[in-house]
Amino acid sequence: MRRLTLRTGIRWKITLAIAAVGALTALALSLVVHSAARVSMLESARDQELERVQFIARTAEAGRKPIWGAKLNDPEMPAELRDKARSGRRGTYVQESRKGPVVWAAVPLGNGQVLSLNHQFRESANMVRDLDRALVVGSLAVVIGGSALGVLIGGQISRRLRKAAAAAQRVAHGDPDVRVRDAVGGVVRDETDDLARAVDAMADALQQRLEAERRVTADIAHELRTPVTGLLTAAELLPPGRPTELVRDRAQAMRALVEDVLEVARLDSASERAELQDVALGEFVSRRVSSLMPEASVRVVADEIVSTDPRRLERILGNLLANAARYGQPPIQVDIEGRVVRVRDHGPGFPEALLLEGPSRFRTGSTDRAGVGHGLGLTIAEGQARVLGARLTFRNVAAPGGATGEGTAAGAVAVLWLPEHAPTATGSFPVIQLPG
């Protein structure tokens, strides 16, 4: 079952976190302030009502009529407050109502009666509502301000990380002069700089290792060149016969392998530069295919003038055709459509490892389409395409039953995408936009 994943930027994560913390903090403080203010106002109203009723009680005991709306033995008086007053104690009581709290105050008189006074808590309730509105406005201001701060902080971090990712991507595409730490820049030092330094150290170590391996490979191939050439010369002096043909055939295969290894080493060094010429792609590919593999069929859907290196393009075509002839099955078809060249065979298809990871030198094995070879043909083709600023992709044609796995495909297709703009003199490549 496929897991649903949501992708969002670190800027918005930080903003959301700050806004959530600010909202929770503002809510908690607002509740505390609201509760404290209401309790304080009610306590003040209780004291005020109690002072009033005591003053009215003194005038009532002097024989005067109760003033300010005070009543004797008011039947609407809360039972709890009535019982307290009848027991000889004065007291206050807050009665909740739809219009707001009602504050009661009562005192017992000497003749056994109870004098009470009540007041609607309207002014204080309005003050509480005003306070609540002020708290809501303040809370919104805190959340908005925190969100703006989160966008600012998160944007800086996100921008530094994007610069680091872009620089790391350039390193991955083979630019050895890029330093992630320099790309990140900035005066402030944080974890992003630690990450950038770690990536730079890893890239340097990997580059040194690859360069050492390339030098070793090139040195070995170069040292083998002289004895292999001597072996071929000596094979020419052998008397005619089947053993002589076998020796010559193996010596030729060894010489071809040495030349391929040297070519791979040169391509790995990233020092190769294309010698550009304007050629009609359809006509050029048709002539080269007819000379390299006359039995292959060529179809020019749309011809176009391209600026490329004919020698390297011919090398790519030769390797693709040789790979199709060795590992695939006829018929072999070559289609030219604008700047795109497709080479298809009708064999069992490319192995899954090649489709997932691309060509890998010296790796064919039993899972390869034929189980033989050195894996250098497609590696060289991909390297030469890189020098041309082109891209080489591989896919399998679905079998009639719909399966596309290795051994069940209805053929393999190698597609060469030539760029709209040729590589510059420094070897930098344009971006190839693939359809879909």
Side-chain angles (χ1 to χ4, degrees):
M1 183 177 179
R2 206 173 191 181
R3 176 185 290 181
L4 179 63
T5 57
L6 299 176
R7 185 180 184 275
T8 182
I10 190 172
R11 171 192 298 181
W12 304 115
K13 291 179 180 177
I14 294 176
T15 301
L16 181 60
I18 294 179
V21 171
L24 291 175
T25 304
L27 178 61
L29 291 177
S30 299
L31 291 175
V32 171
V33 172
H34 170 84
S35 177
R38 190 174 186 275
V39 169
S40 176
M41 290 179 183
L42 286 175
E43 289 297 327
S44 177
R46 282 175 182 241
D47 294 341
Q48 186 178 4
E49 289 300 303
L50 188 58
E51 289 178 2
R52 286 182 178 181
V53 78
Q54 287 177 338
F55 175 77
I56 297 172
R58 287 194 294 269
T59 60
E61 289 176 348
R64 297 181 183 178
K65 185 179 179 180
I67 59 176
W68 296 339
K71 297 180 181 179
L72 294 171
N73 302 322
D74 190 348
E76 296 182 359
M77 186 190 314
E80 182 179 345
L81 181 59
R82 182 185 299 111
D83 295 340
K84 185 175 182 180
R86 286 179 177 175
S87 65
R89 295 178 297 168
R90 63 188 180 185
T92 59
Y93 184 85
V94 178
Q95 186 179 36
E96 298 292 340
S97 67
R98 293 182 179 179
K99 296 181 180 180
V102 179
V103 179
W104 287 81
V107 295
L109 299 179
N111 55 7
Q113 293 181 324
V114 176
L115 180 66
S116 63
L117 179 66
N118 65 80
H119 177 71
Q120 189 80 37
F121 190 63
R122 291 179 180 175
E123 296 81 3
S124 299
N126 293 335
M127 293 178 62
V128 171
R129 282 194 293 270
D130 293 340
L131 177 62
D132 289 342
R133 282 194 289 268
L135 290 174
V136 170
V137 173
S139 299
L140 290 176
V142 169
V143 172
I144 294 174
S147 299
L149 182 62
V151 170
L152 179 63
I153 297 175
Q156 291 179 347
I157 297 176
S158 178
R159 189 160 46 249
R160 289 166 64 84
L161 290 176
R162 283 199 301 270
K163 289 180 179 179
Q169 193 72 16
R170 291 175 59 189
V171 173
H173 283 102
D175 192 342
D177 298 327
V178 175
R179 286 295 174 267
V180 179
R181 178 63 195 87
D182 296 337
V184 170
V187 179
V188 180
R189 296 291 183 264
D190 54 17
E191 288 80 0
T192 307
D193 298 271
D194 298 335
L195 174 63
R197 281 191 289 268
V199 173
D200 287 339
M202 180 184 66
D204 290 340
L206 184 60
Q207 185 68 26
Q208 292 173 3
R209 181 175 179 181
L210 292 176
E211 181 63 22
E213 291 181 356
R214 186 194 66 80
R215 286 198 301 268
V216 169
T217 303
D219 292 343
I220 293 176
H222 191 271
E223 291 299 324
L224 286 175
R225 215 172 187 182
T226 301
V228 168
T229 302
L231 182 61
L232 281 172
T233 303
E236 296 294 331
L237 302 177
L238 294 176
R242 181 59 181 167
T244 300
E245 293 178 359
L246 291 175
V247 171
R248 289 175 180 173
D249 180 66
R250 292 299 88 195
Q252 289 286 359
M254 185 177 294
R255 181 177 183 178
L257 175 60
V258 170
E259 294 297 333
D260 286 347
V261 171
L262 283 173
E263 186 171 359
V264 169
R266 287 195 300 270
L267 292 172
D268 286 345
S269 68
S271 59
E272 295 286 287
R273 295 291 180 267
E275 299 177 3
L276 302 177
Q277 297 180 22
D278 291 337
V279 297
L281 186 62
E283 179 186 356
F284 177 85
V285 173
S286 299
R287 285 191 284 106
R288 294 301 186 272
V289 171
S290 62
S291 63
L292 294 171
M293 187 177 290
E295 66 273 16
S297 62
V298 181
R299 183 176 62 133
V300 180
V301 179
D303 200 357
E304 188 170 338
I305 302 297
V306 297
S307 181
T308 188
D309 189 327
R311 179 180 65 84
R312 298 182 188 278
L313 181 57
E314 183 176 0
R315 177 68 161 149
I316 296 171
L317 288 172
N319 283 17
L320 294 180
L321 292 172
N323 184 82
R326 175 177 294 182
Y327 304 123
Q329 296 177 6
I332 297 174
Q333 302 172 350
V334 180
D335 296 336
I336 303 98
E337 185 176 354
R339 297 177 177 274
V340 180
V341 181
R342 297 181 180 87
V343 178
R344 177 188 174 181
D345 63 58
H346 290 74
F350 290 114
E352 287 297 325
L354 187 143
L355 295 177
L356 293 175
E357 304 172 11
S360 180
R361 64 199 70 174
F362 300 110
R363 187 184 68 180
T364 54
S366 59
T367 60
D368 193 84
R369 292 194 283 170
V372 296
H374 306 288
L376 294 180
L378 294 182
T379 302
I380 292 174
E382 188 177 53
Q384 294 289 7
R386 196 162 52 246
V387 175
L388 295 179
R391 181 170 179 178
L392 191 59
T393 60
F394 307 92
R395 64 180 177 87
N396 289 337
V397 180
T404 58
E406 179 186 354
T408 60
V413 181
V415 185
L416 177 65
W417 310 78
L418 290 172
E420 184 176 355
H421 302 286
T424 63
T426 59
S428 59
F429 306 142
V431 176
I432 307 298
Q433 298 291 341
L434 301 183

